[in-house]
Amino acid sequence: MSAGDDLFEALFQAAVEAVIVIDGVGRMKAFNPAAEKLFGYRASQVLGENVSLLMPEPMSSEHDGYLSAYRETGDAKIIGIGREVLCRKSSGALFPADLAVGEGRTGKDRFFVGVLRDLSERKRLQESLAAREAELRLILENSPVATAVLDGEGRILDVNPTWTQQIGPSTEGLSTLEDALAANERSKLAKAVGAATRGVAYSARHRIVGGESTSRIGTLLLAKLPEHEDDRVRLLCQFVDETEQINTERQLRQDREVLAEVSRLSVLGEMAAGIAHEVNQPLGAISNYAEAVRIKLGEGGDEKLRELLSKISSQAQRAGQVIQRLRSVAGSHQLEQASTFELRTLIHDVIELAALDARFVNVAVVTDFPGNEIFAIADIVAMQQVLLNLLRNAVEATAQAGGERVTVRASKSDGRARIAVCDEGTGIAEEHFEQIMQPFFTTKASGMGVGLALSQNLVEANRGRLWFENNEDCGATFYVELPLTSEGVEHDV
Ligand code: ADP
């Protein structure tokens, strides 16, 4: 076959695609330069040869059959349709090509024009993209970090197995990220999703309530993914689970606190043991001497003197008990001899003990009681000791600042018995807030600095709480809170 005119010939020669013309039985009639380049044959080598030369098996052997079937049935398998085919170069190398076939006639002879475009490069690109995608998916699938893809509204589109395992399957009620979060964190997240869709990356600690009842804490990261061809916003969402780490840290902190407490108590315990040893003997002696003098005075002696001697003896014994208790509580941190008592009884007893000191420095100790009785449960001797210590500190501070009175209040607050010792002293300097409860901290020339530390231990050993605050006008108030008796008994007085 020859080109009909010059224009056709020029087109045929200059075409970028390979153009091959065959006759009705498959013989090659035209083979343009692009075809020569693509297949590595010169036109002169292939013209007149069967086009099956350019195909690998099995197509090569079957091609003649296709043509005769078409001639007989007119049933086109490829003509006018085009498809992807595998071709063979002169070197034997195979390559994919896109083949479009058209049919023509000259007189009664039919011919077919095939136009081929080399797909090797595109195929290579597709394959490397697919390989890369598979690799990325593999990384994602095996990543130990829970990862999800969200749309612009925070709906979960895709998740990796770690996400399913830690947070729950996206199909079972967890269709949005919000569903996976603790209720109080949702509004914060909605804002973060909004910001992420505008390209502002987000990273913050969140509590994830998983598909089941699991609850995990970790860092949630949100970042906008590069936009797809479809122009829809997608967010990458990752959750770095830090639950174990946080729990371990919390446990460590608690262990450290317990250790600090134990060492604080053991220092106090040792000191208490020392004091007990040194002081118990003279206290016993005081008690014994007082008793001996009382006996010596006999029945006929001065009544007042005998009473005073008996007071000396009982106070010395009480002091002995206090020291024993201090030793056992500081040493073992155990609740001893809890009993039920009414707050005003305790307060009155202690004020009586402190009254002399207070009068001496011109400070009045007044009480403020509610209209009903409040029964607390605790070791009463230990609580006398605590209150006496608070009262002495309050009187001392009030006297030093030229104040006039110390008020001791009893009340019931939040289901607990509360005693407040309110003074008119200088208050607690802010820089001493942390220290005053520490053992051996004192601002007094002759102070020991163990009163508050010990009081706090005693109160806590009795399931109570001791704390302080500065008053608005002047001075400070120290509070002791104790459990009420289980019956919560209350009587009007
Ligand atoms: P000490 O009385 O031997 O110093 P404490 O443990 O009882 O030991 O008190 C520790 C410190 O707390 C005191 O030195 C004082 O600085 C401060 N403090 C305690 N109570 C009061 C109070 N009511 N007003 C002001 N400061 C106080």
Side-chain angles (χ1 to χ4, degrees):
M1 181 193 153
S2 63
D5 54 32
D6 292 346
L7 181 61
F8 175 77
E9 181 60 24
L11 267 173
F12 181 74
Q13 293 295 332
V16 182
E17 319 284 23
V19 182
I20 300 165
V21 182
I22 59 171
D23 64 13
V25 292
R27 281 191 300 258
M28 287 185 264
K29 293 294 175 188
F31 202 76
N32 78 342
E36 288 184 328
K37 197 164 155 232
L38 188 58
F39 286 92
Y41 287 112
R42 299 205 55 80
S44 56
Q45 291 174 281
V46 294
L47 290 180
E49 296 289 335
N50 194 304
V51 74
S52 63
L53 174 74
L54 307 179
M55 304 166 194
E57 290 297 348
M59 214 178 147
S60 179
S61 325
E62 291 165 0
H63 193 254
D64 284 352
Y66 298 155
L67 280 178
S68 61
Y70 177 62
R71 270 199 309 275
E72 280 154 30
T73 63
D75 185 11
K77 288 269 186 322
I78 186 167
I79 297 152
I81 303 165
R83 68 151 84 134
E84 197 184 308
V85 292
L86 207 56
C87 303
R88 190 174 63 188
K89 292 181 188 269
S90 65
S91 65
L94 305 181
F95 65 94
D98 185 42
L99 169 67
V101 182
E103 185 181 359
R105 275 180 190 276
T106 48
K108 61 176 176 41
D109 297 326
R110 68 169 81 198
F111 64 90
F112 302 98
V113 182
V115 179
L116 286 144
R117 187 155 18 103
D118 186 3
L119 294 180
S120 316
E121 193 52 35
R122 202 208 286 179
K123 270 259 138 97
R124 248 199 306 279
L125 223 81
Q126 271 173 357
E127 273 165 20
S128 86
L129 263 177
R132 197 162 157 61
E133 240 181 76
E135 196 177 78
L136 280 176
R137 182 134 285 277
L138 207 70
I139 292 172
L140 205 65
E141 300 272 292
N142 292 291
S143 165
V145 178
T147 307
V149 179
L150 313 180
D151 69 7
E153 272 78 51
R155 279 186 292 264
I156 298 172
L157 303 176
D158 197 5
V159 298
N160 74 347
T162 312
W163 181 286
T164 312
Q165 191 190 326
Q166 286 181 358
I167 298 165
S170 61
T171 46
E172 284 169 27
L174 285 183
S175 52
T176 71
L177 183 57
E178 276 193 7
D179 294 336
L181 286 193
N184 59 344
E185 298 184 5
R186 291 184 183 164
S187 60
K188 192 175 165 202
L189 184 86
K191 274 194 214 122
V193 168
T197 57
R198 293 190 300 277
V200 184
Y202 175 77
S203 159
R205 186 162 276 181
H206 276 281
R207 179 177 288 280
I208 296 265
V209 188
E212 284 130 45
S213 59
T214 51
S215 165
R216 319 203 131 256
I217 300 183
T219 303
L220 191 76
L221 305 156
L222 284 176
K224 191 178 175 185
L225 287 169
E227 254 150 49
H228 257 239
E229 297 126 26
D230 61 8
D231 250 13
R232 277 181 25 215
V233 173
R234 283 185 179 80
L235 304 176
L236 176 73
C237 173
Q238 293 194 299
F239 177 70
V240 184
D241 190 356
E242 289 151 0
T243 315
E244 306 303 325
Q245 188 187 334
I246 289 168
N247 284 347
T248 315
E249 275 167 17
R250 188 179 300 142
Q251 188 59 48
L252 268 175
R253 217 170 27 244
Q254 276 170 4
D255 290 352
R256 266 203 301 272
E257 275 163 20
V258 170
L259 257 180
E261 172 84 341
V262 167
S263 74
R264 200 158 57 118
L265 284 169
S266 77
V267 170
L268 281 173
E270 277 168 31
M271 217 186 75
I275 293 173
H277 184 75
E278 293 300 321
V279 175
N280 256 349
Q281 266 180 335
L283 279 176
I286 291 170
S287 175
N288 290 343
Y289 285 135
E291 201 53 24
V293 175
R294 197 171 66 84
I295 290 166
K296 199 137 203 167
L297 277 176
E299 283 301 314
D302 184 335
E303 183 61 28
K304 187 80 188 153
L305 201 58
R306 284 196 347 182
E307 194 190 320
L308 282 175
L309 284 167
S310 131
K311 274 193 173 165
I312 290 175
S313 169
S314 74
Q315 287 300 323
Q317 273 167 21
R318 196 181 145 271
Q321 276 172 17
V322 166
I323 282 169
Q324 283 306 336
R325 189 97 9 121
L326 179 154
R327 199 174 160 187
S328 66
V329 172
S332 65
H333 206 216
Q334 266 172 16
L335 185 57
E336 294 233 339
Q337 297 180 6
S339 64
T340 296
F341 57 87
E342 209 278 316
L343 289 195
R344 71 191 64 209
T345 319
L346 167 76
I347 294 169
H348 276 313
D349 285 356
V350 174
I351 289 179
E352 204 188 325
L353 290 171
L356 205 66
D357 285 350
R359 265 202 301 281
F360 192 67
V361 290
N362 252 340
V363 172
V365 179
V366 298
T367 55
D368 177 7
F369 294 142
N372 49 356
E373 294 180 315
I374 300 167
F375 288 91
I377 183 158
D379 176 344
I380 189 158
V381 178
M383 290 311 109
Q384 283 174 342
Q385 199 180 337
V386 169
L387 198 53
L388 186 59
N389 183 47
L390 296 183
L391 207 53
R392 279 197 177 132
N393 278 346
V395 167
E396 227 174 299
T398 304
Q400 218 172 39
E404 289 174 2
R405 86 176 81 193
V406 169
T407 310
V408 186
R409 291 195 183 90
S411 64
K412 214 165 86 170
S413 172
D414 296 333
R416 311 264 284 170
R418 182 183 282 186
I419 302 168
V421 180
C422 173
D423 65 44
E424 293 177 1
T426 45
I428 318 286
E430 210 163 304
E431 66 265 28
H432 295 154
F433 272 18
E434 301 283 323
Q435 292 157 295
I436 66 163
M437 296 285 181
Q438 301 293 325
F440 312 122
F441 174 81
T442 182
T443 54
K444 299 171 192 168
S446 59
M448 291 247 305
V450 290
L452 284 178
L454 187 64
S455 296
Q456 191 174 43
N457 281 324
L458 288 169
V459 170
E460 283 172 7
N462 280 274
R463 291 183 292 131
R465 196 158 77 89
L466 188 155
W467 77 101
F468 66 89
E469 53 194 35
N470 278 331
N471 302 329
E472 268 175 23
D473 39 4
C474 68
T477 300
F478 281 75
Y479 297 92
V480 173
E481 214 174 62
L482 293 170
L484 290 169
T485 47
S486 50
E487 308 89 43
V489 194
E490 247 179 51
H491 301 288
D492 286 336
V493 287

